[in-house]
Amino acid sequence: MPGDNIIVGISQEILSVFFDPLKRVYWVYLLSAAAVAFVWLKFRRNLSFFSAIRKIFSKASWWNTSARADYCVMAVNSALMSVISPKLLGQTAVAYLVFEWMHTLFAGRPQTLEYLPQWAMMAAFTVILFVLDDLARYVVHRMLHRVPVLWAFHKVHHSATALNPLTVFRMHPVEGVIFAIRGALVQGITIAVFVFFFGSKVQLLMVFGAGVFNWMFNAFLANLRHSHIQIGFWKPVERVFISPAQHQIHHSISEHHHDKNFGVALAIWDWVFNTHCHSNTQEKLVFGLSAESTEESHRLSLLYIQPFLEAFRTATSPIRRLREVRKTATQNSLP
Amino acid sequence: MKFKTMLTLFFVGTLLPALAQSESEVYMNFPITVKGYAGDKTDSASYSGQIARHLLHNSLKKLAGKGNGEPNEELKAKMMAYYAGTDEGREILDPKSKDGFAIKQTMIDEISKGKELKGKTYKGAVNSWPGYMTGPEVLEFLIDKASSANKGYDPITGYDYGQLISKFMMGAVFYNQAVDNYLDERLTADKNPNDKPYKEGRHYSGKEHVWDEAFGYFGAPAHAIDLEADQAYSIAKRKPDVMAAADHNSDGVVDLKTEMTYAHAYYAADADKGGKTSYLSDITGAFIDGRKLITAADSNALTDAQRAELMTIADTIKMKWEQVIAEATFKYAGSVYKDLQKLIAIVEANGDVSDAFRAYAKHWGELKGFSMALQTSGKDLGETAVKINRLIGFSPVHLDGNQVTGIDGNGNYMTASGSSMAEYMVHMVKLQNLLGDAFNLTKRKNDATSQLADLIESVGASKGAETD
């Protein structure tokens, strides 16, 4: 039946992320994150073997109202994005467009740079792509917080009152579209520029099916950012790489934590642009939008519809204010 | 049951099918099925007329490079004798025997008499060439120009007439005849019926010969399936190290009727080198399958079901043959792209461009010729054809950005300022993308953007399902 096919398709789409080395929740990365968490709890927090295991896999962390909403949003988004993604501007379109445009810009295509050693080209491409991608994530993430209309959508992610690795999928589809376009632009432009100048020498340094830096980030840090395990780094390191605890601060409802630590893998952007905050693993963090979060805050219909209403109200508030000012002025001018 | 009877049954039951299996790998030794045939022929496969035309084409290409830069009526007459003549005594100018690669025949008549190319050329309008001409008119125009060019090359326009004539002719004659005639209307029930000889007294039925003729135009050796792609390719190059592979009947000479690689079979083999594609064996295998089906009908009229099956096989051949031509077009678009890159660098360094421009003209001739051939199948390629022609234009872009735009009343080329060479590089990129998508290409040799695709794949699609 067609309905069955759709359900099977969506199920496959959801499950595929656990088997794709390019995704954060690839089963190997989840396993390695659990191992890192275990080592941290056992040797840094001095928990017993079983206490550490119980803490990592505690039902309270993985099966609460907020977590269940995460899973539902992930399922709905998988279905929605499988329809939306093919219609979005992709890396391929951007890369080809920029590659072609550069021929006109440079009146041809230089040959000489192809003689540079391949190892240098591979290293340069891998590092620059990682750095630019991370910077773009920082910029977009910061805008999602600072631009009121965008914040209306990003609030869905911050409405999580408990964090687990699948919270990374708790997002409004509008934000999904924004992130997809960001990725397409940054990756498409970087790939096109490198290929244009360095041709066949350009390759991504890969480990087990993923770019080396993404692999390292995903294998050891990415899944602990959204978790209840507070792992902090030595302060000088936290200026360069964001620790899981630093990202958990980003989710904290405490006012002094607001608009801090927008970075993804690198902390240098936060440091340079004054949004940096060190972790304090002794501090008890409360996650969410406010202390008044209720079960209602995790209702699916609210998570999907409320952002549109709020974004509309935010976008139209200057017009409403202008009308009020005019109305007041008219009333005051009456005899 | 006696032991001898059992042994005989075992032999018949197991070994004979195995022998039949091994025979089926070669496009020859098909039994005579025509009822009442009284002649001495034992193989009903026959396509010598098509091989003669391949040799006329090969020879004509050779002649196209014989000009000295001055109008030459003698050369033109000789070229026309190979294109439109039917006279006896025409020598095979290519391929010829050489050390380590002996060829059986030296004259066209040894293959088939009275054959010509003009009458078999695509009669439709050729929109890919200026001047609003039909297929035969375009070829006669090119032959005229080639005869007065210096070794077939005009450095002013950048035309390599040998390449243009050869690549277009392969489409306009061989491809068109096969896919728009023999594998199309000649497979209908009332044309060349299978329950009658092709012609009175012939040793093959109507459908048997129709199918053979299409196979002959493809240009594969009869034993192509037994050959590796690079062997089939090297046979056309007459490389001594493939002499043994070419000489299927081990008589010490290569029989041009059955053991040589020609035309699109050569380009299929070229694409197949490296193993990404298998056009040569797929197309030859399909031809053998179709021929077996017709032979099995034993000179009875084909049923509707048999004809439907045959049409399905024919469709496979048509599709893959089209892909072979599209792959060649794709490859030369990549060559032209690289040539332009080199040319721009030489111009910027104030170097001598003559050799680089000659290579560019050769590759452009191949590109243009194949793209023109692609449009001779009788099938309307619609906007794909329009875009292909627009992207390539009527000539290579010259160093000053000029390009041929038409032909005046006296047969002279008209030029106008068009794209720069850098912009023309972009045209080649767009052309490769268009060809790759429209014809679902796999080999994609000389792909100017393969690195883009590879990197995009290794980086992974950004579907935007994750946030922070």
Side-chain angles (χ1 to χ4, degrees):
Chain A
M1 283 174 69
D4 294 342
N5 289 339
I6 292 169
I7 291 166
V8 169
I10 293 170
S11 306
Q12 284 174 341
E13 183 80 17
I14 295 167
L15 291 175
S16 68
V17 296
F18 298 105
F19 298 94
D20 183 354
L22 297 170
K23 299 288 172 200
R24 248 185 223 194
V25 292
Y26 177 45
W27 67 272
V28 175
Y29 303 148
L30 289 172
L31 214 62
S32 60
V36 171
F38 177 79
V39 169
W40 174 267
L41 294 171
K42 177 86 177 71
F43 299 103
R44 182 79 184 181
R45 291 274 171 261
N46 296 318
L47 296 187
S48 70
F49 180 89
F50 289 108
S51 300
I53 296 288
R54 269 198 300 275
K55 182 155 175 76
I56 293 167
F57 298 106
S58 71
K59 190 182 171 191
S61 304
W62 290 87
W63 196 250
N64 52 62
T65 313
S66 178
R68 287 195 295 275
D70 293 352
Y71 309 146
C72 290
V73 171
M74 179 189 177
V76 173
N77 281 357
S78 288
L80 287 174
M81 293 309 284
S82 67
V83 177
I84 297 169
S85 287
K87 294 175 175 61
L88 294 177
L89 181 73
Q91 290 119 312
T92 307
V94 174
Y96 278 84
L97 205 67
V98 173
F99 182 75
E100 289 172 6
W101 174 69
M102 288 183 78
H103 284 79
T104 313
L105 188 69
F106 289 89
R109 187 177 169 198
Q111 287 187 301
T112 48
L113 296 174
E114 284 203 33
Y115 298 106
L116 291 168
Q118 180 152 20
W119 65 265
M121 290 303 92
M122 288 177 73
F125 175 71
T126 307
V127 170
I128 289 174
L129 180 66
F130 175 72
V131 170
L132 289 179
D133 202 46
D134 202 70
L135 172 61
R137 281 175 188 271
Y138 172 87
V139 171
V140 170
H141 192 188
R142 189 175 160 138
M143 283 171 67
L144 286 168
H145 280 259
R146 296 282 174 86
V147 178
V149 173
L150 298 180
W151 172 240
F153 294 102
H154 188 53
K155 274 163 89 173
V156 172
H157 181 62
H158 280 271
S159 66
T161 50
L163 302 180
N164 72 74
L166 300 187
T167 309
V168 79
F169 298 110
R170 181 184 180 126
M171 62 190 288
H172 196 277
V174 168
E175 189 183 335
V177 170
I178 292 168
F179 263 97
I181 293 170
R182 176 215 65 82
L185 288 172
V186 174
Q187 291 164 10
I189 292 169
T190 311
I191 288 170
V193 170
F194 265 86
V195 170
F196 181 80
F197 286 114
F198 308 116
S200 57
K201 295 278 169 68
V202 188
Q203 279 175 32
L204 186 69
L205 281 169
M206 295 183 76
V207 182
F208 302 122
V212 63
F213 294 119
N214 278 332
W215 185 88
M216 286 163 65
F217 172 68
N218 286 337
F220 300 112
L221 295 176
N223 287 305
L224 293 163
R225 292 157 63 81
H226 296 120
S227 79
H228 53 290
I229 316 292
Q230 267 181 290
I231 300 177
F233 299 155
W234 187 40
K235 284 195 173 179
V237 177
E238 281 194 344
R239 286 194 192 279
V240 183
F241 300 107
I242 292 190
S243 67
Q246 275 179 291
H247 188 68
Q248 287 153 9
I249 279 175
H250 176 74
H251 279 268
S252 163
I253 61 169
S254 299
E255 207 166 318
H256 65 287
H257 289 154
H258 283 182
D259 287 352
K260 297 292 183 195
N261 298 345
F262 294 119
V264 178
L266 298 174
I268 47 176
W269 317 121
D270 284 303
W271 187 31
V272 169
F273 299 113
N274 295 319
T275 51
H276 187 267
C277 179
H278 281 295
S279 67
N280 176 5
T281 53
Q282 305 304 316
E283 190 176 5
K284 176 101 174 108
L285 299 175
V286 178
F287 304 133
L289 291 168
S290 72
E292 283 81 45
S293 288
T294 60
E295 289 219 359
E296 185 72 2
S297 332
H298 303 291
R299 196 152 53 87
L300 218 53
S301 55
L302 199 75
L303 293 175
Y304 279 91
I305 295 164
Q306 185 70 17
F308 284 116
L309 301 174
E310 192 176 324
F312 179 76
R313 275 199 301 271
T314 309
T316 54
S317 66
I319 301 167
R320 282 201 308 276
R321 273 203 298 275
L322 193 67
R323 278 183 184 157
E324 278 167 20
V325 168
R326 278 187 181 165
K327 196 175 167 186
T328 314
T330 312
Q331 282 169 349
N332 289 344
S333 65
L334 288 172
Chain B
M1 197 180 285
K2 288 184 177 177
F3 176 72
K4 277 186 181 174
T5 315
M6 286 176 68
L7 195 68
T8 309
L9 283 175
F10 174 79
F11 179 77
V12 170
T14 59
L15 293 183
L16 281 187
L19 285 172
Q21 187 79 22
S22 70
E23 275 183 13
S24 70
E25 300 305 316
V26 181
Y27 200 97
M28 58 166 56
N29 299 331
F30 288 102
I32 308 289
T33 62
V34 172
K35 308 287 186 292
Y37 172 71
D40 56 358
K41 301 278 186 189
T42 55
D43 183 0
S44 63
S46 174
Y47 48 90
S48 56
Q50 286 61 45
I51 299 302
R53 290 191 182 92
H54 280 300
L55 293 165
L56 290 170
H57 157 254
N58 280 18
S59 299
L60 189 54
K61 188 185 175 194
K62 209 78 180 167
L63 287 171
K66 297 286 185 193
N68 60 5
E70 298 295 329
N72 186 334
E73 285 303 320
E74 190 184 340
L75 176 61
K76 184 180 171 186
K78 195 167 182 185
M79 290 179 77
M80 285 305 292
Y82 278 84
Y83 177 57
T86 55
D87 293 348
E88 290 187 16
R90 288 173 294 181
E91 188 190 354
I92 297 171
L93 304 176
D94 177 67
K96 286 183 165 188
S97 288
K98 68 173 191 179
D99 278 351
F101 201 95
I103 288 173
K104 188 175 177 181
Q105 297 92 346
T106 57
M107 303 297 287
I108 301 286
D109 302 334
E110 291 175 68
I111 307 292
S112 184
K113 290 181 181 173
K115 293 294 179 287
E116 49 89 41
L117 294 161
K118 186 179 175 182
K120 299 289 180 182
T121 305
Y122 170 66
K123 305 292 188 296
V126 181
N127 296 322
S128 49
W129 191 255
Y132 307 106
M133 291 187 258
T134 64
E137 286 169 348
V138 168
L139 281 167
E140 287 193 34
F141 175 85
L142 293 173
I143 286 169
D144 178 44
K145 292 285 185 187
S147 67
S148 56
N150 187 9
K151 293 179 181 169
Y153 170 55
D154 176 4
I156 307 297
T157 55
Y159 285 139
D160 181 326
Y161 289 108
Q163 295 298 347
L164 284 166
I165 290 169
S166 171
K167 271 54 182 186
F168 176 54
M169 185 175 281
M170 278 193 248
V173 179
F174 311 143
Y175 178 55
N176 172 260
Q177 281 295 310
V179 305
D180 195 26
N181 185 18
Y182 293 113
L183 298 180
D184 196 58
E185 59 195 63
R186 301 283 280 270
L187 291 185
T188 52
D190 50 345
K191 291 264 176 76
N192 304 104
N194 199 48
D195 54 352
K196 289 180 183 161
Y198 185 74
K199 281 181 185 168
E200 196 58 41
R202 295 295 166 95
H203 59 289
Y204 35 73
S205 73
K207 285 288 180 277
E208 284 172 351
H209 193 53
V210 160
W211 197 259
D212 290 349
E213 289 188 291
F215 174 71
Y217 276 128
F218 179 54
H223 61 301
I225 283 203
D226 295 341
L227 297 168
E228 298 292 331
D230 55 349
Q231 286 178 319
Y233 177 83
S234 296
I235 287 172
K237 297 275 186 194
R238 297 174 298 145
K239 291 190 176 172
D241 61 333
V242 292
M243 176 66 201
D247 185 15
H248 183 63
N249 61 2
S250 304
D251 62 353
V253 285
V254 172
D255 187 340
L256 293 179
K257 281 186 181 176
T258 55
E259 295 174 339
M260 178 49 70
T261 311
Y262 303 96
H264 292 135
Y266 167 78
Y267 286 95
D270 183 31
D272 293 347
K273 285 187 293 178
K276 265 177 108 174
T277 55
S278 54
Y279 294 122
L280 181 65
S281 58
D282 289 351
I283 294 172
T284 309
F287 270 118
I288 291 172
D289 290 346
R291 187 56 161 83
K292 281 198 234 171
L293 189 152
I294 299 168
T295 307
D298 200 24
S299 274
N300 292 308
L302 297 181
T303 63
D304 286 347
Q306 284 170 325
R307 274 198 322 100
E309 195 180 342
L310 201 60
M311 292 302 283
T312 306
I313 297 171
D315 286 344
T316 302
I317 294 168
K318 288 179 190 177
M319 182 192 73
K320 290 192 181 274
W321 196 330
E322 184 180 59
Q323 284 179 317
V324 168
I325 302 173
E327 291 274 18
T329 316
F330 186 101
K331 172 185 159 180
Y332 289 112
S335 300
V336 166
Y337 176 88
K338 287 181 195 166
D339 293 334
L340 287 161
Q341 194 178 4
K342 278 183 203 156
L343 268 172
I344 291 169
I346 295 170
V347 169
E348 281 175 1
N350 290 320
D352 179 7
V353 297
S354 52
D355 286 348
F357 195 80
R358 180 69 189 90
Y360 169 48
K362 177 183 179 290
H363 292 142
W364 189 89
E366 293 178 287
L367 165 70
K368 184 66 181 175
F370 275 119
S371 73
M372 291 166 74
L374 206 49
Q375 299 168 52
T376 58
S377 67
K379 183 176 78 176
D380 183 7
L381 293 181
E383 65 170 352
T384 304
V386 174
K387 286 177 184 173
I388 288 172
N389 295 335
R390 199 161 53 211
L391 288 167
I392 298 175
F394 287 143
S395 80
V397 167
H398 307 147
L399 300 182
D400 58 3
N402 278 341
Q403 206 172 10
V404 170
T405 54
I407 297 171
D408 68 18
N410 298 319
N412 299 315
Y413 296 114
M414 298 183 290
T415 60
S417 178
S419 313
S420 67
M421 285 200 288
E423 285 163 344
Y424 200 50
M425 287 178 80
V426 177
H427 284 208
M428 293 301 110
V429 171
K430 287 181 190 289
L431 177 63
Q432 285 195 323
N433 290 338
L434 174 67
L435 290 166
D437 292 344
F439 299 101
N440 196 21
L441 301 184
T442 308
K443 174 71 176 187
R444 306 170 69 103
K445 195 171 180 183
N446 291 340
D447 189 348
T449 56
S450 62
Q451 201 62 18
L452 284 181
D454 290 348
L455 280 176
I456 289 163
E457 193 185 341
S458 54
V459 167
S462 181
K463 285 188 181 175
E466 299 171 4
T467 185
D468 282 287

